[in-house]
């Protein structure tokens, strides 16, 4: 079983749609969680950290369920510029980051 | 500007010809790491360093070497590249700590013929 698993997609959605991505992780002792965004062949960039209580940043909402060992990302009112690959990242311990393979999103006019 | 500088951006080489990919950060980060990214596999860690003169193997260290003689620099060395090392490589750095985010270099697309 992979340490961090994501649905690879692709997710093809129209502008204005709401889309949700899930990610599961295998290590119950994992300490912190992040969503990164990666545009084609470019470096990943932090989208948001994921906190136990859930957190929101504009149109983006991240949630963590430690009991079930999954995190989620919800994007509301999708924009064309949201088209990218979204990487789920889990910090196992001491900067030991594990990456999911990414979920590809395409937002269409 | 705070950044991780990685060079070169593109590199084509032949089997067996030693090469070095440089990585430098100006944020005084203790932690630096190298990843390779292949389709369907996500980012896999090659080597990492928690501080100067401290390096450790990641998940896929075979065929690679690193050094950390200075805090800001963390070069990746391929002594004898092979075609299975054709990949997209990223260097990253951060402060130590579980909530610290990684800053990435812009990547090196390596092709070994």
């Amino acid at each position: 079983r992979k340490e961090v698993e994501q649905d690879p997609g692709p997710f093809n959605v129209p502008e204005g749609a709401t889309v949700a991505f899930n990610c599961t992780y295998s290590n119950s002792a994992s300490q912190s969680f992040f969503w990164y965004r990666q545009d084609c062949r470019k470096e990943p960039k932090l989208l948001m950290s994921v906190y136990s209580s859930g957190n929101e940043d504009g149109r983006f909402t991240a949630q963590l369920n430690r009991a079930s060992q999954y995190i989620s990302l919800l994007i509301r009112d999708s924009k064309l510029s949201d088209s990218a690959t979204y990487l789920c990242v889990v910090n196992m311990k001491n900067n030991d980051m594990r990456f999911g393979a990414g979920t590809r999103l395409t937002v269409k006019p | 500007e705070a950044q991780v500088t990685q060079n070169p951006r593109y590199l084509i080489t032949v089997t067996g010809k030693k090469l070095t990919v440089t990585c430098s950060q100006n944020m005084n980060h203790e932690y630096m790491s190298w990843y390779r990214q292949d389709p369907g596999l996500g980012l896999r860690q090659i080597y990492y360093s928690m501080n100067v003169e401290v390096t450790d193997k990641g998940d896929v260290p075979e065929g690679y070497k690193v050094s950390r003689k200075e805090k800001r620099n963390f070069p990746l060395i391929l002594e004898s590249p092979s075609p299975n090392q054709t990949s997209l490589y990223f260097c990253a750095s951060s402060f130590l700590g579980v909530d610290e985010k990684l800053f990435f270099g812009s990547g090196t697309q390596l092709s070994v013929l």
Side-chain angles (χ1 to χ4, degrees):
Chain A
R1 182 184 171 192
K2 290 183 182 177
E3 290 172 306
V4 180
E5 292 201 70
Q6 294 181 247
D7 182 340
F11 284 66
N12 298 310
V13 303
E15 267 186 296
T18 295
V19 61
F21 307 138
N22 289 328
C23 164
T24 58
Y25 59 95
S26 61
N27 186 343
S28 60
S30 297
Q31 298 179 320
S32 55
F33 310 88
F34 308 88
W35 284 102
Y36 278 71
R37 171 195 167 124
Q38 185 177 26
D39 294 291
C40 188
R41 311 301 282 175
K42 296 196 173 178
E43 74 272 25
K45 293 183 179 178
L46 180 69
L47 179 66
M48 58 198 302
S49 302
V50 187
Y51 302 116
S52 296
S53 54
N55 49 300
E56 192 173 302
D57 183 2
R59 297 181 293 107
F60 299 84
T61 301
Q63 293 197 309
L64 166 64
N65 185 320
R66 282 192 183 271
S68 301
Q69 294 179 213
Y70 80 81
I71 69 174
S72 64
L73 177 68
L74 183 78
I75 305 175
R76 290 182 299 278
D77 189 23
S78 300
K79 311 290 185 192
L80 296 176
S81 58
D82 293 334
S83 297
T85 296
Y86 291 84
L87 305 177
C88 172
V89 184
V90 176
N91 188 336
M92 300 284 178
K93 62 176 173 64
N94 299 333
N95 293 78
D96 183 10
M97 299 284 214
R98 300 292 164 155
F99 291 78
T103 298
R104 191 151 59 92
L105 171 67
T106 301
V107 181
K108 300 188 173 181
Chain B
E1 181 190 352
Q3 60 186 1
V4 179
T5 303
Q6 188 180 333
N7 283 298
R9 181 73 182 89
Y10 300 95
L11 182 57
I12 300 174
T13 190
V14 295
T15 299
K17 187 175 181 182
K18 180 180 178 180
L19 66 90
T20 300
V21 185
T22 62
C23 175
S24 179
Q25 50 91 9
N26 62 1
M27 294 168 278
N28 203 36
H29 287 162
E30 300 92 358
Y31 179 85
M32 297 187 75
S33 182
W34 276 102
Y35 300 90
R36 62 177 287 173
Q37 187 174 32
D38 302 288
L41 296 179
L43 276 83
R44 294 181 292 166
Q45 190 177 54
I46 302 170
Y47 269 95
Y48 67 95
S49 170
M50 293 285 199
N51 217 324
V52 177
E53 302 292 1
V54 179
T55 63
D56 268 302
K57 295 178 180 179
D59 297 318
V60 288
E62 295 79 18
Y64 304 95
K65 284 175 56 176
V66 292
S67 68
R68 189 92 183 270
K69 292 182 170 41
E70 305 163 284
K71 196 170 188 179
R72 62 184 292 126
N73 295 323
F74 191 47
L76 179 70
I77 303 155
L78 284 72
E79 295 269 5
S80 183
S82 62
N84 65 10
Q85 292 178 298
T86 292
S87 187
L88 178 58
Y89 291 85
F90 289 104
C91 177
S93 71
S94 74
F95 291 113
L96 290 176
V98 295
D99 291 323
E100 296 298 333
K101 70 173 185 176
L102 280 171
F103 291 79
F104 284 87
S106 54
T108 296
Q109 178 62 60
L110 172 65
S111 296
V112 183
L113 306 177

